[in-house]
PDB file of all heavy atoms in Angstrom:
ATOM      1  N   SER A  17     -98.910 151.191 209.654  1.00 98.00           N
ATOM      2  CA  SER A  17     -98.229 150.072 209.027  1.00 98.00           C
ATOM      3  C   SER A  17     -97.667 150.420 207.654  1.00 98.00           C
ATOM      4  O   SER A  17     -98.243 151.226 206.954  1.00 98.00           O
ATOM      5  CB  SER A  17     -99.139 148.863 208.938  1.00 98.00           C
ATOM      6  OG  SER A  17     -99.602 148.485 210.219  1.00 98.00           O
ATOM      7  N   LEU A  18     -96.643 149.719 207.278  1.00 98.00           N
ATOM      8  CA  LEU A  18     -96.123 149.759 205.898  1.00 98.00           C
ATOM      9  C   LEU A  18     -95.606 148.370 205.547  1.00 98.00           C
ATOM     10  O   LEU A  18     -95.173 147.641 206.395  1.00 98.00           O
ATOM     11  CB  LEU A  18     -94.948 150.724 205.807  1.00 98.00           C
ATOM     12  CG  LEU A  18     -95.266 152.279 205.722  1.00 98.00           C
ATOM     13  CD1 LEU A  18     -93.972 153.095 205.781  1.00 98.00           C
ATOM     14  CD2 LEU A  18     -96.082 152.604 204.579  1.00 98.00           C
ATOM     15  N   ASN A  19     -95.643 148.112 204.232  1.00 98.00           N
ATOM     16  CA  ASN A  19     -95.088 146.878 203.717  1.00 98.00           C
ATOM     17  C   ASN A  19     -94.024 147.193 202.678  1.00 98.00           C
ATOM     18  O   ASN A  19     -94.396 147.736 201.624  1.00 98.00           O
ATOM     19  CB  ASN A  19     -96.206 145.968 203.115  1.00 98.00           C
ATOM     20  CG  ASN A  19     -95.716 144.589 202.788  1.00 98.00           C
ATOM     21  OD1 ASN A  19     -94.660 144.420 202.183  1.00 98.00           O
ATOM     22  ND2 ASN A  19     -96.444 143.603 203.189  1.00 98.00           N
ATOM     23  N   LEU A  20     -92.813 146.921 203.029  1.00 98.00           N
ATOM     24  CA  LEU A  20     -91.739 147.157 202.118  1.00 98.00           C
ATOM     25  C   LEU A  20     -91.483 145.975 201.209  1.00 98.00           C
ATOM     26  O   LEU A  20     -91.630 144.840 201.676  1.00 98.00           O
ATOM     27  CB  LEU A  20     -90.434 147.486 202.876  1.00 98.00           C
ATOM     28  CG  LEU A  20     -90.452 148.656 203.891  1.00 98.00           C
ATOM     29  CD1 LEU A  20     -89.121 148.836 204.492  1.00 98.00           C
ATOM     30  CD2 LEU A  20     -91.037 149.916 203.210  1.00 98.00           C
ATOM     31  N   SER A  21     -91.077 146.228 199.992  1.00 98.00           N
ATOM     32  CA  SER A  21     -90.740 145.135 199.070  1.00 98.00           C
ATOM     33  C   SER A  21     -89.363 145.342 198.484  1.00 98.00           C
ATOM     34  O   SER A  21     -88.835 146.503 198.412  1.00 98.00           O
ATOM     35  CB  SER A  21     -91.770 145.104 197.943  1.00 98.00           C
ATOM     36  OG  SER A  21     -93.063 144.815 198.385  1.00 98.00           O
ATOM     37  N   CYS A  22     -88.765 144.213 198.141  1.00 96.00           N
ATOM     38  CA  CYS A  22     -87.428 144.305 197.565  1.00 96.00           C
ATOM     39  C   CYS A  22     -87.346 143.232 196.485  1.00 96.00           C
ATOM     40  O   CYS A  22     -87.758 142.084 196.671  1.00 96.00           O
ATOM     41  CB  CYS A  22     -86.372 143.992 198.581  1.00 96.00           C
ATOM     42  SG  CYS A  22     -84.679 143.749 198.002  1.00 96.00           S
ATOM     43  N   THR A  23     -86.924 143.650 195.254  1.00 93.00           N
ATOM     44  CA  THR A  23     -86.747 142.636 194.202  1.00 93.00           C
ATOM     45  C   THR A  23     -85.401 142.852 193.567  1.00 93.00           C
ATOM     46  O   THR A  23     -84.711 143.793 193.868  1.00 93.00           O
ATOM     47  CB  THR A  23     -87.872 142.839 193.189  1.00 93.00           C
ATOM     48  OG1 THR A  23     -87.879 141.716 192.281  1.00 93.00           O
ATOM     49  CG2 THR A  23     -87.730 144.123 192.412  1.00 93.00           C
ATOM     50  N   THR A  24     -84.988 141.872 192.798  1.00 88.00           N
ATOM     51  CA  THR A  24     -83.662 141.949 192.166  1.00 88.00           C
ATOM     52  C   THR A  24     -83.750 141.773 190.643  1.00 88.00           C
ATOM     53  O   THR A  24     -84.620 141.059 190.105  1.00 88.00           O
ATOM     54  CB  THR A  24     -82.756 140.870 192.727  1.00 88.00           C
ATOM     55  OG1 THR A  24     -81.465 140.914 192.031  1.00 88.00           O
ATOM     56  CG2 THR A  24     -83.328 139.460 192.456  1.00 88.00           C
ATOM     57  N   TYR A  25     -82.911 142.472 189.992  1.00 78.00           N
ATOM     58  CA  TYR A  25     -82.811 142.381 188.535  1.00 78.00           C
ATOM     59  C   TYR A  25     -81.486 141.881 188.135  1.00 78.00           C
ATOM     60  O   TYR A  25     -81.036 141.919 186.967  1.00 78.00           O
ATOM     61  CB  TYR A  25     -82.991 143.739 187.894  1.00 78.00           C
ATOM     62  CG  TYR A  25     -84.361 144.381 188.281  1.00 78.00           C
ATOM     63  CD1 TYR A  25     -84.417 145.289 189.300  1.00 78.00           C
ATOM     64  CD2 TYR A  25     -85.532 143.979 187.612  1.00 78.00           C
ATOM     65  CE1 TYR A  25     -85.646 145.859 189.684  1.00 78.00           C
ATOM     66  CE2 TYR A  25     -86.740 144.525 187.963  1.00 78.00           C
ATOM     67  CZ  TYR A  25     -86.783 145.460 188.980  1.00 78.00           C
ATOM     68  OH  TYR A  25     -87.971 146.007 189.386  1.00 78.00           O
ATOM     69  N   ASP A  26     -80.688 141.308 189.121  1.00 76.00           N
ATOM     70  CA  ASP A  26     -79.363 140.860 188.939  1.00 76.00           C
ATOM     71  C   ASP A  26     -79.344 139.377 188.523  1.00 76.00           C
ATOM     72  O   ASP A  26     -79.737 138.557 189.392  1.00 76.00           O
ATOM     73  CB  ASP A  26     -78.517 141.136 190.170  1.00 76.00           C
ATOM     74  CG  ASP A  26     -77.033 140.948 189.958  1.00 76.00           C
ATOM     75  OD1 ASP A  26     -76.685 140.144 189.051  1.00 76.00           O
ATOM     76  OD2 ASP A  26     -76.234 141.561 190.615  1.00 76.00           O
ATOM     77  N   ARG A  27     -78.862 139.080 187.384  1.00 74.00           N
ATOM     78  CA  ARG A  27     -78.853 137.725 186.953  1.00 74.00           C
ATOM     79  C   ARG A  27     -77.789 136.873 187.671  1.00 74.00           C
ATOM     80  O   ARG A  27     -77.853 135.603 187.665  1.00 74.00           O
ATOM     81  CB  ARG A  27     -78.561 137.623 185.438  1.00 74.00           C
ATOM     82  CG  ARG A  27     -79.655 138.285 184.633  1.00 74.00           C
ATOM     83  CD  ARG A  27     -79.401 138.271 183.111  1.00 74.00           C
ATOM     84  NE  ARG A  27     -80.404 138.843 182.315  1.00 74.00           N
ATOM     85  CZ  ARG A  27     -80.374 138.978 181.018  1.00 74.00           C
ATOM     86  NH1 ARG A  27     -79.391 138.412 180.352  1.00 74.00           N
ATOM     87  NH2 ARG A  27     -81.365 139.572 180.390  1.00 74.00           N
ATOM     88  N   ASP A  28     -76.883 137.508 188.379  1.00 74.00           N
ATOM     89  CA  ASP A  28     -75.869 136.814 189.114  1.00 74.00           C
ATOM     90  C   ASP A  28     -76.355 136.393 190.549  1.00 74.00           C
ATOM     91  O   ASP A  28     -75.716 135.652 191.223  1.00 74.00           O
ATOM     92  CB  ASP A  28     -74.611 137.686 189.257  1.00 74.00           C
ATOM     93  CG  ASP A  28     -73.885 137.877 187.977  1.00 74.00           C
ATOM     94  OD1 ASP A  28     -74.012 136.978 187.075  1.00 74.00           O
ATOM     95  OD2 ASP A  28     -73.257 138.922 187.848  1.00 74.00           O
ATOM     96  N   LEU A  29     -77.509 136.914 190.879  1.00 79.00           N
ATOM     97  CA  LEU A  29     -78.074 136.670 192.184  1.00 79.00           C
ATOM     98  C   LEU A  29     -79.270 135.693 192.085  1.00 79.00           C
ATOM     99  O   LEU A  29     -80.267 135.984 191.503  1.00 79.00           O
ATOM    100  CB  LEU A  29     -78.566 137.922 192.879  1.00 79.00           C
ATOM    101  CG  LEU A  29     -79.306 137.762 194.205  1.00 79.00           C
ATOM    102  CD1 LEU A  29     -78.368 137.064 195.162  1.00 79.00           C
ATOM    103  CD2 LEU A  29     -79.732 139.149 194.703  1.00 79.00           C
ATOM    104  N   ARG A  30     -79.056 134.452 192.599  1.00 81.00           N
ATOM    105  CA  ARG A  30     -80.134 133.492 192.576  1.00 81.00           C
ATOM    106  C   ARG A  30     -80.991 133.770 193.807  1.00 81.00           C
ATOM    107  O   ARG A  30     -80.746 133.318 194.898  1.00 81.00           O
ATOM    108  CB  ARG A  30     -79.539 132.120 192.646  1.00 81.00           C
ATOM    109  CG  ARG A  30     -78.875 131.686 191.375  1.00 81.00           C
ATOM    110  CD  ARG A  30     -78.380 130.234 191.516  1.00 81.00           C
ATOM    111  NE  ARG A  30     -79.471 129.325 191.867  1.00 81.00           N
ATOM    112  CZ  ARG A  30     -79.313 128.287 192.653  1.00 81.00           C
ATOM    113  NH1 ARG A  30     -78.142 128.011 193.184  1.00 81.00           N
ATOM    114  NH2 ARG A  30     -80.358 127.530 192.936  1.00 81.00           N
TER     115      ARG A  30
END
Side-chain angles (χ1 to χ4, degrees):
S17 299
L18 283 174
N19 190 311
L20 304 183
S21 297
C22 170
T23 191
T24 179
Y25 304 97
D26 191 331
R27 296 180 180 179
D28 293 331
L29 174 60
R30 290 181 56 215

